[in-house]
Amino acid sequence: MSHTIREKTKLLSRVRRLKGQMEAVERALESERPCGEVLQLLASIRGALTGLTGEILEDHLEEHVLQAETDEARRQAVDEISDVLKTYLR
């Protein structure tokens, strides 16, 4: 069973909190809140998203790299991480 399936409830809860934070940014912009407040909301979202990304990445490394059943599966998992990191770090 994949780690994202096993942790589905927890991960979806984090995604829903992120969605709520994005809606808070929308409300802040609609009500013309000061830019400092909007920036603080955005910084919180970035931190939450980075945390979620890190958690899934760590679980991916554990399950698909360290516990890979074959060298080919391990190579595929490393390639996936490499592609994601290239996109993430742009």
Side-chain angles (χ1 to χ4, degrees), residues 14-15 18 21 43-55 88:
R14 290 182 76 161
V15 168
L18 277 163
Q21 289 176 300
S44 296
I45 292 167
R46 181 170 184 196
L49 184 58
T50 298
L52 176 61
T53 302
E55 182 175 343
Y88 188 77

Side-chain angles (χ1 to χ4, degrees), residues 4 9-10 13 25 27 29 32 35 40 54 64 67 73 84:
T4 54
T9 301
K10 181 174 76 169
S13 177
V25 170
R27 288 189 304 273
L29 292 170
E32 301 177 1
C35 60
Q40 186 60 48
H64 300 290
Q67 298 178 17
V84 167

Side-chain angles (χ1 to χ4, degrees), residues 2-90:
S2 173
H3 56 96
T4 54
I5 295 169
R6 200 172 40 251
E7 301 291 333
K8 179 180 175 180
T9 301
K10 181 174 76 169
L11 295 172
L12 285 174
S13 177
R14 290 182 76 161
V15 168
R16 289 182 185 111
R17 282 194 299 276
L18 277 163
K19 188 180 350 178
Q21 289 176 300
M22 286 300 297
E23 290 168 352
V25 170
E26 182 179 12
R27 288 189 304 273
L29 292 170
E30 286 176 345
S31 63
E32 301 177 1
R33 301 302 304 157
C35 60
E37 288 182 29
V38 175
L39 287 168
Q40 186 60 48
L41 290 168
L42 291 169
S44 296
I45 292 167
R46 181 170 184 196
L49 184 58
T50 298
L52 176 61
T53 302
E55 182 175 343
I56 292 176
L57 180 58
E58 183 179 349
D59 290 346
H60 183 81
L61 286 167
E62 178 70 34
E63 183 165 321
H64 300 290
V65 177
L66 291 177
Q67 298 178 17
E69 293 185 12
T70 66
D71 286 340
E72 182 180 336
R74 181 175 288 110
R75 173 82 281 176
Q76 180 181 351
V78 169
D79 289 345
E80 290 170 352
I81 292 168
S82 180
D83 290 344
V84 167
L85 288 175
K86 287 175 190 172
T87 301
Y88 188 77
L89 297 174
R90 278 191 211 166

